[in-house]
Structures are given as structure tokens and as C-alpha cells.
Amino acid sequence: MAKKISIVVSVYNEEEGLKQFYEHTHPILQQATAKAGWDYELIFVNDGSLDNSLDLLRGFAAKDPKVVVVNFAANRGHEAAMIAGIDVATGDGIVCMDADLQHPPEVIPDIIAKFDEGYDVVSMVRTAREDAGLFKKITSAAFYKVMNHMSKANFENNSSDFFGLSRRVALVLRKDYRERVRFLRGYVQNVGFKKTTLEFKASARVAGQSNYNLKALVKLSLNAICNFSDAPLKMGIYAGLMSLAFSFILIVYSIVQFFLGNAPSGYSTIVVLISFMFGVLFIILGFISEYLAIIFAEVKNRPIYIIDSIITKDGEERQ
Ligand code: UDP
Ligand code: MG
């Protein structure tokens, strides 16, 4: 039997570009799979879109038997949508991509070729981003530097939520990576197996706007750090040691000043010390709270996503 590739596309309020995405992608998929002797399925995960996206997706499914629409009961975020797609995918290889054509479907034949060569993880690395400003580029580079420094895991610089996985990797993700607070592309890059990278050029969005604002990016980065590293938790020990050393120097200094007959200046020393120490203390407390919040979220064990219905050409199956 022919191997099958599952394309997982997360969709949140993409009505403006969705038709263009489908019309651009499905002929490429048809040609690529016909050439490689593979079969395919195109899974759209509608992440609680508030616009007309679901109706458009229904339209694709009604006339195309290759289309599967997983319709969420509510918005759960991009990562939850990718996880749901990976969960329902039946392919031997799975590719996650955005619905805004920032991840060019033109590279799918190369990904299929990598699967054929026996690779389990195909990490797609951006060589250029047309939409990102200098600020986004610098912060993103800094983020990967910090992450690699703080964690034993390895993170590809400029990696994206565009990647290919074999069925084996998907099984691992389905079974063992069910965390509520997570960093999916970090897992994909660190499960091991036979891994390769392909480069792609991220173009500008075809339509609509990015759903990731600065706040969402900060949250994603903080989650990633706390998920892959316990270094911030251990910060307290170092901060404590440093302040001990610092206060020791101050004590010696004060004693020397006393014997020299100078009255030590109290006020400014105290103000500086107190504000410094409280700064350190609250940062550490903030990090501890961050981990506590993660533990809280995991302990509650709520579902990562809730499916309302699954729509194919055969009809709509309510869950
Ligand atoms: N997305 C989603 N749920 C969300 C936000 C975004 O499924 O809550 C989808 C969105 O439709 C797109 C992909 O995730 O296909 C990436 O989002 P976006 O293009 O806004 O992010 P950017 O490419 O700017 O990082
Ligand atoms: Mg995008």
C-alpha cells in the first residue's frame, strides 16, 4: 500500500487567505504525491475561528475527499491545534504548517523525499522572513541563545512551527507529550531519531494579521524556558551566595571605616541594598510562581483541546 502524508494546517480567523491557501496547496500536494507514489490527506484544524473560516473549510471538505476538518469547540491556541492534527493524522509522515502561506507548500516534495530517505524529523529552518522587523529578529535570536544556554536540550535557531514528523515520532507525541504547558517545536527537535533540516524562505502573510502579539510571544518564551530548564529555579542559591559575599564586603568596609574614625553613611547604603535585594527576591519569587503555575496546570489535567466535530466529504461527525 502507498505511504501517506498528512498535512496539518491550524486555522484561526483565516477567512481572507484560506481559499488562496487551499487552491495553491492542493494541486502541489496532488502532483508531489503522484510523483513520489504517496497518498495524502489535508487536515485543517479550526481552532475556534470567529469568522467565516469554518464555512470555507466545510466547502473544501464537501468537494474534496482528501480534506478532513477538525473543528474545536473553542479556541485553544496554535500548539493545541497542531497537537490535535497530529493526533488524528493517519499518515506515515506528518507535516504541520500555517494557513497563511508563510510556510511554502512548494517544499513538501523535499519533505516527502526526506521521509523516503528514512528521516523521522524534518526541521524546517527559516532563512529569511519577509514580515519580521528588526526587533522580532533580534529577540528571536536572543531567545534561542538563552534557551540553548539554559537547557540540556538543543534548539535549532530560526526553527518554526513548520516541521515534518514520521509516524513513530507522532506516536511518541501522542502518548508521552501530553503537557498542558509545552513548547511543541522543542519536543520535535529533541525526541531524537534520525533528524534533518531543510531551509525555507518565509514569505509575508497572504492576508489577515498575525495572531501572535508581543504578549503571546513573551508567554511562549517563558513557557519554553520553564519547560526545558530548571536553571531559574536554582537562581535563588546563586543570588543568596552573591548577596552574602556582598554583605561580607560591606561589613569589613564598615569596621575599617569605624576604626578610621569615619561614621559609616547609613541611609544610602540601606536604600541601595534594600531595593537591590527586593529586586532579586521578587524575580526569584516570580520564577517560582511560574513553575508553580505550570505544576497547577498539569495537576488539573484538563484536556489540551476539545473537539466539537470532525467534517469530511462523508458528512459531519459530532463528538
Ligand atoms: N493559529 C491558531 N490558533 C491561534 C492562533 C493562531 O490555530 O490561537 C494559527 C493561525 O491560523 C496560523 C498559525 O497558527 O495558521 C500561525 O499563526 P500566525 O500566522 O498568526 O503567527 P505568525 O506566523 O505570525 O507567527
Ligand atoms: Mg503566520
Side-chain angles (χ1 to χ4, degrees):
M1 218 176 79
K3 286 193 191 166
K4 187 203 257 185
I5 188 152
S6 305
I7 307 294
V8 171
V9 187
S10 27
V11 178
Y12 179 61
N13 295 347
E14 300 279 6
E15 64 178 2
E16 285 169 55
L18 210 48
K19 196 154 184 288
Q20 200 176 335
F21 173 87
Y22 175 72
E23 275 163 10
H24 183 73
T25 307
H26 98 107
I28 292 178
L29 269 171
Q30 261 170 348
Q31 279 174 15
T33 49
K35 210 167 146 214
W38 283 54
D39 190 10
Y40 76 91
E41 63 181 349
L42 182 52
I43 302 171
F44 290 97
V45 182
N46 176 40
D47 183 15
S49 295
L50 302 168
D51 63 359
N52 221 10
S53 298
L54 181 60
D55 285 337
L56 287 168
L57 295 176
R58 276 208 174 93
F60 305 155
K63 58 181 194 332
D64 185 346
K66 303 279 191 201
V67 170
V68 178
V69 180
V70 178
N71 182 33
F72 277 9
N75 178 257
R76 285 297 176 132
H78 183 195
E79 294 221 326
M82 287 191 283
I83 291 171
I86 293 169
D87 287 349
V88 304
T90 57
D92 302 274
I94 299 172
V95 176
C96 287
M97 59 198 295
D98 286 6
D100 54 13
L101 286 177
Q102 284 193 295
H103 299 159
E106 286 80 2
V107 295
I108 289 174
D110 299 335
I111 302 179
I112 294 178
K114 291 291 176 196
F115 284 139
D116 270 333
E117 284 169 37
Y119 286 102
D120 287 290
V121 176
V122 186
S123 200
M124 305 299 293
V125 175
R126 270 186 303 246
T127 51
R129 335 169 50 165
E130 282 173 12
D131 68 326
L134 191 65
F135 177 74
K136 203 164 179 179
K137 281 180 191 155
I138 291 175
T139 46
S140 146
F143 168 73
Y144 284 105
K145 262 229 134 63
V146 171
M147 280 298 286
N148 278 321
H149 196 73
M150 283 173 55
S151 165
K152 279 199 201 76
N154 246 317
F155 298 91
E156 198 83 54
N157 199 358
N158 278 326
S159 66
S160 59
D161 285 317
F162 184 23
F163 46 77
L165 318 164
S166 66
R167 188 203 296 273
R168 292 203 290 166
V169 177
L171 285 177
V172 173
L173 293 180
R174 281 175 207 154
K175 192 164 159 284
D176 298 321
Y177 282 84
R178 308 309 292 181
E179 284 142 85
R180 272 91 208 137
V181 183
R182 72 225 141 209
F183 186 52
L184 194 58
R185 72 181 91 148
Y187 300 157
V188 169
Q189 283 169 28
N190 288 288
V191 283
F193 295 107
K194 207 174 156 200
K195 188 183 144 197
T196 183
T197 52
L198 279 176
E199 289 185 343
F200 76 97
K201 195 163 157 269
S203 30
R205 247 176 178 280
V206 278
Q209 279 173 9
S210 171
N211 292 298
Y212 278 103
N213 51 23
L214 187 64
K215 201 174 143 206
L217 280 175
V218 169
K219 191 162 172 251
L220 184 75
S221 314
L222 216 71
N223 278 351
I225 290 172
C226 294
N227 227 314
F228 275 94
S229 165
D230 56 6
L233 262 184
K234 294 174 177 158
M235 238 164 53
I237 299 171
Y238 298 108
L241 284 175
M242 259 163 52
S243 66
L244 256 180
F246 189 58
S247 57
F248 186 71
I249 294 168
L250 253 168
I251 291 168
V252 174
Y253 172 77
S254 305
I255 293 173
V256 172
Q257 289 294 319
F258 177 78
F259 282 114
L260 291 177
N262 301 328
S265 74
Y267 180 73
S268 47
T269 321
I270 289 171
V271 170
V272 168
L273 266 183
I274 286 186
S275 50
F276 176 74
M277 293 314 304
F278 269 107
V280 173
L281 198 62
F282 280 128
I283 289 173
I284 293 165
L285 199 63
F287 267 112
I288 294 176
S289 318
E290 203 60 43
Y291 286 94
L292 194 66
I294 292 176
I295 296 169
F296 186 46
E298 301 301 344
V299 167
K300 280 190 293 189
N301 207 13
R302 295 203 177 140
I304 295 174
Y305 56 82
I306 299 167
I307 295 180
D308 176 43
S309 53
I310 294 189
I311 304 156
T312 56
K313 193 163 191 287
D314 299 333
E316 182 157 345
E317 201 180 301
R318 291 183 146 262
Q319 302 292 300

